[in-house]
Amino acid sequence: MFDVAIVGGGPAGSSCAALCASAGLRALVLEREVFPREKVCGDCLNPACWPVLRRLQLGDRVRTLPRGVLDRVEFISVGGRTLSIALPAGDEAEIAIKRSHFDQLIMARARELGATICEGSTVTALTAGTATEGWTITAGEKIFESQVLVAADGRNSTVARLCQLLPRNAKERVALQTHLPLPPNFGNRVVLQFRPEGYSGQAPVGADELNLCLVSVPGKIPSLRNWAERHFGISREHSWRTITPLTRAPIAPAHRSLFLVGDAARVVEPFTGEGIYYALASGELAADAITAQRSGQNAAEAAAAYSAAHAKLYRGRLWINRLARAAVLSPHLASAFLEVARFQPALLRLLTAKIVR
């Protein structure tokens, strides 16, 4: 019997496991992949991540990994006009780092602190007991029991699906992501480029690699991919990763002895530059609530406390989702906003500051 079983070993799940284990709880992580593995993501860690990484005692270790240190963001309109905004500098600046490196580091920290990690374990069935009996979790031929369950398994969460909490998918947009050799003289910048076909995000994730993301509606994604192949010299046989759905349909983050963290709660849009921060922060909030519950707090009170803290975490941020959606569906409108921002640069600085905190 574990105190907490966490399905998903990404930043949300592994940070939650690490903090639960450091509080003396018996923590289990069930991860369907075998790390290291890549993940569809913009790969950016904004400065708000650093306080959580310090609490995990991982700040110095992150700095030893291959990464890009980002000093500015460049917005490129459909017409090719570029606007550049400086990013925060210093030891806790924004960086870009491959998820294969970052996620493995956090999972290793959870293991160091005493969490039990089971990779290559796909959850196939869940049974909820009474308030005192917790959960029975089936993963292949193995069965685990836990007082508390955490869904940290992404936007298409198996836990949410098995608990009949997953909303219907909407497919108004498609995202493609890959890593490429870093173009010469790319610089320490994030590029947010609007195209007639949609949107492209680009960021260096080290001295030699570029993260490239494409987002568009289904009918235009082939054309946007063709542009990327021409622009970056990518072969037709090149492998891309994809993610769907992009439309945000949030799920209540807490139920009886069930907590949803990171993308499983489906709150933020991918590729707004904030996802990793919210994964880490929600994992920490869930760990606090679970520790309180296992220390004697009523389960309903712990769930309510997490729900309130989760709502506060995201409060005032969802308008960025709407901007991201509008930029993909109406790239010419987004480009018109950039033209306005040429004469009112404070608007673009405000938007950038909100995203990178």
Side-chain angles (χ1 to χ4, degrees):
M1 173 65 75
F2 289 90
D3 292 302
V4 54
I6 300 162
V7 181
S14 288
S15 63
C16 183
L19 293 166
C20 284
S22 69
L25 302 186
R26 294 160 296 176
L28 167 71
V29 175
L30 297 171
E31 167 56 50
R32 69 179 181 180
E33 304 287 347
V34 176
F35 282 27
R37 59 90 180 92
E38 286 302 342
K39 184 78 166 57
V40 177
C41 182
D43 288 344
C44 290
L45 276 67
N46 68 33
C49 293
W50 290 108
V52 186
L53 293 172
R54 284 201 304 272
R55 288 190 285 274
L56 289 166
Q57 298 181 347
L58 287 176
D60 290 339
R61 296 192 207 181
V62 169
R63 293 185 181 93
T64 67
L65 297 175
R67 68 200 188 282
V69 179
L70 307 173
D71 56 27
R72 69 189 189 278
V73 55
E74 288 188 355
F75 298 87
I76 304 178
S77 71
V78 170
R81 191 183 297 275
T82 298
L83 291 175
S84 182
I85 301 294
L87 293 173
D91 290 340
E92 298 189 349
E94 178 150 351
I95 66 172
I97 186 169
K98 291 180 72 172
R99 290 287 299 274
S100 55
H101 300 311
F102 184 71
D103 291 12
Q104 188 172 29
L105 181 67
I106 301 178
M107 178 182 280
R109 181 58 176 154
R111 186 181 281 113
E112 282 179 7
L113 291 168
T116 299
I117 310 294
C118 294
E119 298 177 71
S121 298
T122 299
V123 172
T124 54
L126 296 170
T127 302
T130 67
T132 58
E133 291 176 345
W135 295 83
T136 299
I137 306 152
T138 302
E141 298 181 353
K142 296 182 179 180
I143 296 176
F144 304 89
E145 293 187 348
S146 177
Q147 295 290 347
V148 178
L149 179 64
V150 175
D153 50 347
R155 296 177 72 78
N156 296 307
S157 167
T158 296
V159 172
R161 177 175 55 81
L162 292 174
C163 293
Q164 299 184 334
L165 299 173
L166 198 63
R168 291 185 60 185
N169 284 348
K171 296 181 179 179
E172 67 174 8
R173 284 163 296 156
V174 177
L176 300 177
Q177 184 262 347
T178 192
H179 291 106
L180 305 172
L182 186 67
N185 303 315
F186 189 86
N188 299 327
R189 58 181 178 140
V190 182
V191 175
L192 305 179
Q193 184 166 1
F194 300 104
R195 296 282 309 164
E197 309 91 340
Y199 155 87
S200 169
Q202 306 146 33
V205 290
D208 303 312
E209 282 191 284
L210 179 76
N211 178 300
L212 173 64
C213 298
L214 307 175
V215 186
S216 186
V217 296
K220 294 183 178 180
I221 196 71
S223 178
L224 185 59
R225 176 175 170 173
N226 288 339
W227 166 80
E229 289 172 349
R230 295 191 306 272
H231 188 75
F232 292 98
I234 305 170
S235 72
R236 291 294 299 172
E237 293 74 30
H238 183 82
S239 176
W240 296 78
R241 289 173 288 272
T242 187
I243 184 173
T244 187
L246 298 187
T247 298
R248 178 188 60 84
I251 304 173
H255 305 262
R256 187 198 62 77
S257 296
L258 170 62
F259 299 84
L260 289 90
V261 298
D263 282 347
R266 299 163 67 106
V267 179
V268 295
E269 295 270 353
F271 310 118
T272 58
E274 303 179 294
I276 295 177
Y277 164 68
Y278 285 119
L280 294 170
S282 62
E284 183 176 32
L285 291 176
D288 291 342
I290 294 163
T291 301
Q293 179 178 334
R294 301 307 298 147
S295 298
Q297 185 179 33
N298 177 274
E301 292 177 355
Y306 174 68
S307 294
H310 191 270
K312 183 178 180 181
L313 174 67
Y314 288 98
R315 188 171 298 137
R317 313 295 297 171
L318 299 185
W319 62 275
I320 294 176
N321 285 343
R322 291 189 285 271
L323 284 179
R325 178 176 179 271
V328 173
L329 297 179
S330 304
H332 287 282
L333 184 61
S335 294
F337 172 79
L338 292 182
E339 290 298 319
V340 173
R342 288 178 55 218
F343 303 100
Q344 296 290 336
L347 291 174
L348 210 52
R349 284 197 294 269
L350 174 63
L351 174 60
T352 302
K354 286 292 185 182
I355 293 175
V356 303
R357 291 176 176 253

